Protein backbone atom coordinates (compact mmCIF):
# COMPACT_ATOMS: atom_id res chain seq x y z
CA UNK A 1 0.00 0.00 0.00
CA UNK A 2 1.35 3.43 -0.98
CA UNK A 3 2.11 6.06 1.67
CA UNK A 4 2.63 9.76 1.06
CA UNK A 5 5.29 11.78 2.90
CA UNK A 6 4.12 15.20 4.11
CA UNK A 7 6.48 17.61 5.88
CA UNK A 8 5.43 20.29 8.34
CA UNK A 9 5.29 21.33 11.98
CA UNK A 10 3.74 19.98 15.18
CA UNK A 11 2.10 22.48 17.53
CA UNK A 12 0.69 22.34 21.07
CA UNK A 13 0.40 26.04 21.97
CA UNK A 14 -1.27 29.23 20.73
CA UNK A 15 0.74 32.18 22.18
CA UNK A 16 -2.06 34.67 21.52
CA UNK A 17 -4.84 32.58 23.14
CA UNK A 18 -3.09 29.95 25.29
CA UNK A 19 -6.20 28.94 27.21
CA UNK A 20 -7.94 28.15 23.91
CA UNK A 21 -5.04 26.21 22.42
CA UNK A 22 -4.64 22.52 21.56
CA UNK A 23 -4.99 19.74 24.13
CA UNK A 24 -2.26 17.22 23.35
CA UNK A 25 -2.42 13.71 24.76
CA UNK A 26 -0.58 10.46 24.14
CA UNK A 27 -1.80 10.14 20.54
CA UNK A 28 -2.93 13.62 19.52
CA UNK A 29 -1.02 16.49 17.90
CA UNK A 30 -1.86 19.42 15.66
CA UNK A 31 -0.01 19.34 12.36
CA UNK A 32 0.62 22.24 9.99
CA UNK A 33 1.80 20.97 6.60
CA UNK A 34 4.29 22.96 4.57
CA UNK A 35 2.14 22.24 1.51
CA UNK A 36 -1.59 21.93 2.39
CA UNK A 37 -2.39 20.71 -1.11
CA UNK A 38 -0.70 17.40 -0.27
CA UNK A 39 -3.34 16.89 2.42
CA UNK A 40 -6.16 18.00 0.15
CA UNK A 41 -5.05 15.34 -2.32
CA UNK A 42 -5.78 12.64 0.29
CA UNK A 43 -9.51 13.38 0.09
CA UNK A 44 -11.72 10.88 -1.71
CA UNK A 45 -15.34 11.27 -2.80
CA UNK A 46 -17.76 10.36 -0.02
CA UNK A 47 -15.30 11.26 2.76
CA UNK A 48 -15.36 14.33 5.02
CA UNK A 49 -13.03 17.04 3.78
CA UNK A 50 -9.70 17.47 5.59
CA UNK A 51 -10.42 19.15 8.92
CA UNK A 52 -8.18 22.20 8.72
CA UNK A 53 -8.75 24.94 11.28
CA UNK A 54 -8.35 28.66 10.66
CA UNK A 55 -4.64 28.47 11.44
CA UNK A 56 -3.97 25.94 8.70
CA UNK A 57 -3.60 23.07 11.18
CA UNK A 58 -5.19 19.65 11.14
CA UNK A 59 -5.51 16.88 13.72
CA UNK A 60 -3.58 13.66 13.32
CA UNK A 61 -4.88 10.20 14.14
CA UNK A 62 -1.83 8.13 15.01
CA UNK A 63 -2.00 4.87 13.08
CA UNK A 64 -1.85 1.63 15.07
CA UNK A 65 -2.04 2.90 18.65
CA UNK A 66 -4.49 4.15 21.25
CA UNK A 67 -3.21 5.97 24.35
CA UNK A 68 -5.09 6.31 27.62
CA UNK A 69 -7.50 9.23 27.53
CA UNK A 70 -6.49 12.37 29.42
CA UNK A 71 -9.85 13.88 28.42
CA UNK A 72 -12.81 12.36 26.64
CA UNK A 73 -16.21 14.04 26.89
CA UNK A 74 -15.30 15.41 30.34
CA UNK A 75 -13.96 12.01 31.45
CA UNK A 76 -10.49 10.48 31.68
CA UNK A 77 -8.70 7.21 32.30
CA UNK A 78 -6.03 6.49 34.92
CA UNK A 79 -4.61 10.01 35.14
CA UNK A 80 -0.96 9.31 36.06
CA UNK A 81 -0.62 6.79 33.22
CA UNK A 82 -2.55 8.92 30.71
CA UNK A 83 -0.38 11.93 31.48
CA UNK A 84 2.77 9.79 31.30
CA UNK A 85 1.79 8.80 27.74
CA UNK A 86 1.19 12.45 26.84
CA UNK A 87 4.54 13.51 28.31
CA UNK A 88 6.28 10.68 26.47
CA UNK A 89 4.96 12.06 23.17
CA UNK A 90 5.84 15.67 23.92
CA UNK A 91 9.36 14.76 25.02
CA UNK A 92 9.89 12.58 21.92
CA UNK A 93 8.70 15.35 19.59
CA UNK A 94 11.18 17.81 21.12
CA UNK A 95 8.91 20.43 22.69
CA UNK A 96 11.19 20.66 25.75
CA UNK A 97 9.75 21.85 29.05
CA UNK A 98 5.93 22.04 28.97
CA UNK A 99 3.75 23.59 31.69
CA UNK A 100 -0.04 23.14 31.83
CA UNK A 101 -2.59 25.49 33.39
CA UNK A 102 -3.77 24.47 36.87
CA UNK A 103 -7.39 25.36 36.12
CA UNK A 104 -7.25 23.90 32.58
CA UNK A 105 -4.89 20.94 33.02
CA UNK A 106 -5.08 19.81 29.39
CA UNK A 107 -4.13 23.23 27.97
CA UNK A 108 -0.50 24.28 27.61
CA UNK A 109 0.45 27.38 29.62
CA UNK A 110 4.00 27.64 28.31
CA UNK A 111 6.38 25.53 26.26
CA UNK A 112 10.08 25.73 25.56
CA UNK A 113 9.85 25.04 21.80
CA UNK A 114 6.75 25.44 19.63
CA UNK A 115 6.34 24.63 16.80
CA UNK A 116 8.73 21.74 16.18
CA UNK A 117 9.59 20.22 12.82
CA UNK A 118 8.26 16.83 11.83
CA UNK A 119 6.73 14.80 9.06
CA UNK A 120 4.11 12.14 8.56
CA UNK A 121 3.58 9.12 6.33
CA UNK A 122 -0.08 8.67 5.47
CA UNK A 123 -2.42 6.70 3.24
CA UNK A 124 -5.56 8.78 3.84
CA UNK A 125 -8.10 10.48 6.07
CA UNK A 126 -10.47 9.03 8.64
CA UNK A 127 -14.20 9.61 9.00
CA UNK A 128 -13.63 12.79 11.02
CA UNK A 129 -11.34 14.52 8.52
CA UNK A 130 -8.17 13.73 10.48
CA UNK A 131 -4.99 12.47 8.81
CA UNK A 132 -4.27 8.82 9.62
CA UNK A 133 -0.51 8.83 9.98
CA UNK A 134 2.78 7.42 11.10
CA UNK A 135 4.49 10.32 12.84
CA UNK A 136 8.19 11.28 12.76
CA UNK A 137 10.31 13.99 14.37
CA UNK A 138 12.66 16.20 12.35
CA UNK A 139 12.94 16.35 8.56
CA UNK A 140 12.77 13.47 6.11
CA UNK A 141 15.56 12.92 3.54
CA UNK A 142 13.00 12.39 0.76
CA UNK A 143 11.23 15.29 -1.00
CA UNK A 144 7.87 16.52 0.25
CA UNK A 145 5.00 14.59 -1.31
CA UNK A 146 7.00 11.51 -2.28
CA UNK A 147 4.95 8.30 -2.40
CA UNK A 148 6.45 4.92 -1.58
CA UNK A 149 5.76 1.55 0.00
CA UNK A 150 6.15 1.66 3.78
CA UNK A 151 8.37 -1.08 5.18
CA UNK A 152 8.68 -2.27 8.81
CA UNK A 153 12.15 -0.73 9.12
CA UNK A 154 10.73 2.75 8.48
CA UNK A 155 7.75 2.07 10.76
CA UNK A 156 10.21 1.28 13.56
CA UNK A 157 11.53 4.85 13.36
CA UNK A 158 8.06 6.33 13.95
CA UNK A 159 6.59 7.55 17.20
CA UNK A 160 3.84 4.99 16.70
CA UNK A 161 6.29 2.12 17.11
CA UNK A 162 8.19 3.84 19.94
CA UNK A 163 5.02 4.36 21.94
CA UNK A 164 3.97 0.72 21.59
CA UNK A 165 7.50 -0.43 22.36
CA UNK A 166 7.56 1.58 25.60
CA UNK A 167 4.12 0.33 26.67
CA UNK A 168 2.76 3.88 26.56
CA UNK A 169 -0.22 2.90 24.41
CA UNK A 170 -2.33 -0.06 23.38
CA UNK A 171 -2.48 -1.36 19.83
CA UNK A 172 -5.52 -0.30 17.80
CA UNK A 173 -5.65 -1.49 14.22
CA UNK A 174 -8.05 -0.47 11.45
CA UNK A 175 -8.30 -2.01 8.00
CA UNK A 176 -6.53 1.07 6.60
CA UNK A 177 -3.32 -0.39 8.05
CA UNK A 178 -1.71 -3.10 5.89
CA UNK A 179 -2.03 -6.46 7.64
CA UNK A 180 1.73 -7.05 7.48
CA UNK A 181 2.36 -3.79 9.38
CA UNK A 182 -0.40 -4.57 11.89
CA UNK A 183 1.28 -7.88 12.64
CA UNK A 184 4.64 -6.13 13.00
CA UNK A 185 3.26 -3.53 15.41
CA UNK A 186 1.33 -6.24 17.27
CA UNK A 187 4.59 -8.05 17.87
CA UNK A 188 6.11 -4.87 19.32
CA UNK A 189 3.13 -4.44 21.66
CA UNK A 190 3.32 -8.11 22.65
CA UNK A 191 6.95 -7.70 23.70
CA UNK A 192 6.09 -4.61 25.77
CA UNK A 193 3.34 -6.53 27.58
CA UNK A 194 5.64 -9.49 28.22
CA UNK A 195 8.31 -7.16 29.63
CA UNK A 196 5.82 -5.31 31.84
CA UNK A 197 6.65 -1.93 30.32
CA UNK A 198 4.70 1.31 30.74
CA UNK A 199 1.02 0.80 31.49
CA UNK A 200 1.06 -3.01 31.36
CA UNK A 201 1.71 -3.69 35.07
CA UNK A 202 -1.56 -1.80 35.71
CA UNK A 203 -3.50 -3.12 32.71
CA UNK A 204 -6.86 -4.25 34.11
CA UNK A 205 -8.05 -5.39 30.68
CA UNK A 206 -5.39 -8.04 30.04
CA UNK A 207 -7.14 -10.69 27.92
CA UNK A 208 -9.08 -13.24 29.98
CA UNK A 209 -8.69 -11.28 33.21
CA UNK A 210 -11.82 -10.19 35.08
CA UNK A 211 -11.83 -6.61 36.32
CA UNK A 212 -14.30 -4.62 38.36
CA UNK A 213 -16.17 -1.84 36.58
CA UNK A 214 -18.61 0.58 38.21
CA UNK A 215 -19.70 4.15 37.48
CA UNK A 216 -17.50 5.19 40.41
CA UNK A 217 -14.24 3.50 39.39
CA UNK A 218 -14.07 3.21 35.59
CA UNK A 219 -12.18 6.50 35.17
CA UNK A 220 -9.38 5.24 37.42
CA UNK A 221 -8.69 2.11 35.38
CA UNK A 222 -6.03 1.39 32.79
CA UNK A 223 -8.00 -0.51 30.12
CA UNK A 224 -8.08 -0.64 26.34
CA UNK A 225 -9.23 2.93 25.49
CA UNK A 226 -11.76 1.79 22.88
CA UNK A 227 -13.53 -0.19 25.59
CA UNK A 228 -13.26 2.75 28.00
CA UNK A 229 -14.99 5.05 25.51
CA UNK A 230 -17.89 2.61 25.18
CA UNK A 231 -18.16 2.29 28.96
CA UNK A 232 -18.19 6.06 29.37
CA UNK A 233 -21.08 6.44 26.93
CA UNK A 234 -22.88 3.52 28.57
CA UNK A 235 -22.66 5.01 32.07
CA UNK A 236 -23.56 8.43 30.63
CA UNK A 237 -26.84 6.77 29.57
CA UNK A 238 -27.51 6.31 33.31
CA UNK A 239 -26.89 2.58 33.64
CA UNK A 240 -25.63 1.78 37.14
CA UNK A 241 -24.14 -1.68 36.53
CA UNK A 242 -23.06 -3.89 33.62
CA UNK A 243 -26.15 -6.06 33.27
CA UNK A 244 -27.38 -4.06 30.26
CA UNK A 245 -24.01 -3.53 28.58
CA UNK A 246 -24.21 -6.35 26.00
CA UNK A 247 -27.72 -5.33 24.92
CA UNK A 248 -26.69 -1.67 24.81
CA UNK A 249 -23.71 -2.48 22.58
CA UNK A 250 -25.72 -4.59 20.13
CA UNK A 251 -28.45 -1.93 19.85
CA UNK A 252 -26.19 0.29 17.73
CA UNK A 253 -24.11 -1.70 15.23
CA UNK A 254 -22.65 1.43 13.67
CA UNK A 255 -21.48 3.62 16.57
CA UNK A 256 -21.13 1.10 19.42
CA UNK A 257 -20.88 -2.50 18.28
CA UNK A 258 -17.98 -2.05 15.85
CA UNK A 259 -17.39 -4.69 13.23
CA UNK A 260 -14.14 -6.54 13.82
CA UNK A 261 -11.84 -8.97 12.11
CA UNK A 262 -10.59 -11.58 14.60
CA UNK A 263 -8.17 -14.49 14.13
CA UNK A 264 -11.06 -16.99 14.31
CA UNK A 265 -13.91 -14.80 13.04
CA UNK A 266 -13.76 -12.61 9.93
CA UNK A 267 -17.04 -10.82 10.67
CA UNK A 268 -17.26 -10.31 14.42
CA UNK A 269 -18.48 -7.34 16.46
CA UNK A 270 -17.40 -5.56 19.63
CA UNK A 271 -19.75 -7.77 21.69
CA UNK A 272 -17.66 -10.78 20.59
CA UNK A 273 -14.54 -9.54 22.39
CA UNK A 274 -16.13 -8.38 25.67
CA UNK A 275 -17.74 -10.66 28.24
CA UNK A 276 -19.74 -9.38 31.21
CA UNK A 277 -19.05 -11.84 34.05
CA UNK A 278 -21.13 -10.21 36.81
CA UNK A 279 -23.11 -7.00 37.35
CA UNK A 280 -19.83 -5.30 38.31
CA UNK A 281 -17.15 -7.18 36.35
CA UNK A 282 -16.16 -7.94 32.78
CA UNK A 283 -13.23 -9.20 30.74
CA UNK A 284 -11.70 -8.59 27.35
CA UNK A 285 -11.55 -11.99 25.65
CA UNK A 286 -9.24 -11.10 22.74
CA UNK A 287 -5.89 -9.33 22.84
CA UNK A 288 -6.20 -5.89 21.18
CA UNK A 289 -3.20 -6.74 18.97
CA UNK A 290 -5.32 -9.48 17.37
CA UNK A 291 -8.29 -7.20 16.56
CA UNK A 292 -8.77 -5.26 13.32
CA UNK A 293 -11.62 -2.72 13.22
CA UNK A 294 -13.64 -2.99 10.02
CA UNK A 295 -15.58 -0.24 8.22
CA UNK A 296 -19.37 -0.45 8.59
CA UNK A 297 -19.77 -1.04 4.85
CA UNK A 298 -16.98 -3.61 4.55
CA UNK A 299 -17.65 -6.62 2.32
CA UNK A 300 -15.25 -9.56 2.40
CA UNK A 301 -13.72 -10.10 -1.07
CA UNK A 302 -14.46 -13.49 -2.59
CA UNK A 303 -10.73 -14.22 -2.57
CA UNK A 304 -10.39 -13.29 1.11
CA UNK A 305 -8.22 -10.62 2.65
CA UNK A 306 -4.82 -10.00 1.04
CA UNK A 307 -1.72 -10.61 3.11
CA UNK A 308 -0.27 -7.22 2.04
Amino acid sequence: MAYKLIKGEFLIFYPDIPKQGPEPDGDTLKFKPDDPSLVQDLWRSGQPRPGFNGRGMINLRFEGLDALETHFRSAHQNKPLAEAARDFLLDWAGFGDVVFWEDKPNKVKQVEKNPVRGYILTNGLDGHGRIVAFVYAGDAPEPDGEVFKLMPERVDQSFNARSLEAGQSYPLFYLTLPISLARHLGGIADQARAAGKGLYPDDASAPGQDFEVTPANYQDLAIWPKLFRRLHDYFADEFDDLTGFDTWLRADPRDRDDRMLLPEDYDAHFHNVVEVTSPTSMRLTVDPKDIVILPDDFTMPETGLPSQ
Side-chain angles (χ1 to χ4, degrees), residues 14 30 32 51-58:
Y14 296 165
K30 294 282 189 186
K32 186 173 184 178
F52 282 104
N53 66 15
R55 295 172 183 247
M57 303 173 194
I58 188 169

Side-chain angles (χ1 to χ4, degrees), residues 72 83 103 111 155 172 273:
F72 174 75
E83 291 176 354
D103 60 335
V111 55
V155 167
L172 179 63
V273 305

Side-chain angles (χ1 to χ4, degrees), residues 136-302:
Y136 298 81
D139 273 305
E142 301 90 349
D144 206 8
E146 181 160 325
V147 176
F148 52 86
K149 183 177 181 180
L150 181 58
M151 303 302 290
E153 295 78 15
R154 189 65 172 267
V155 167
D156 288 344
Q157 300 170 25
S158 69
F159 173 78
N160 312 54
R162 301 287 171 83
S163 179
L164 291 170
E165 181 182 36
Q168 294 296 334
S169 57
Y170 290 88
L172 179 63
F173 303 143
Y174 288 82
L175 199 60
T176 52
L177 179 66
I179 293 173
S180 60
L181 297 184
R183 289 172 178 159
H184 180 72
L185 291 172
I188 293 173
D190 212 20
Q191 291 176 15
R193 180 187 290 280
K197 292 184 177 180
L199 62 85
Y200 283 114
D202 297 290
D203 178 23
S205 62
Q209 171 181 294
D210 282 22
F211 59 97
E212 182 183 11
V213 186
T214 68
N217 84 336
Y218 78 101
Q219 294 191 60
D220 298 322
L221 300 174
I223 61 174
W224 193 37
K226 194 165 186 67
L227 175 56
F228 163 79
R229 292 189 287 270
R230 295 294 177 270
L231 286 168
H232 175 70
D233 290 345
Y234 174 73
F235 289 130
D237 280 347
E238 301 183 358
F239 290 91
D240 58 9
D241 65 26
L242 297 174
T243 54
F245 185 70
D246 185 77
T247 301
W248 179 88
L249 263 186
R250 295 175 189 241
D252 188 345
R254 176 169 290 271
D255 294 325
R256 300 176 193 165
D257 200 18
D258 303 67
R259 294 182 66 191
M260 296 180 171
L261 172 67
L262 307 180
E264 305 300 327
D265 190 345
Y266 279 8
D267 195 9
H269 287 264
F270 208 141
H271 70 260
N272 296 115
V273 305
V274 179
E275 180 182 355
V276 173
T277 54
S278 83
T280 58
S281 64
M282 63 168 34
R283 65 170 65 128
L284 197 62
T285 61
V286 180
D287 193 315
K289 75 178 178 64
D290 295 322
I291 298 171
V292 176
I293 311 299
L294 297 175
D296 293 312
D297 58 355
F298 176 75
T299 301
M300 179 66 69
E302 291 183 6

Side-chain angles (χ1 to χ4, degrees), residues 87-133:
D87 295 344
F88 182 81
L89 169 58
L90 301 185
D91 180 67
W92 168 89
F95 288 102
D97 291 335
V98 181
V99 178
F100 292 85
W101 294 94
E102 289 187 8
D103 60 335
K104 290 183 177 290
N106 298 309
K107 300 281 189 185
V108 175
K109 181 177 182 180
Q110 59 188 57
V111 55
E112 185 177 351
K113 300 174 184 177
N114 181 82
V116 296
R117 290 294 297 173
Y119 69 95
I120 61 174
L121 298 176
T122 177
N123 61 7
L125 306 170
D126 73 2
H128 301 283
R130 299 174 298 182
I131 307 176
V132 181

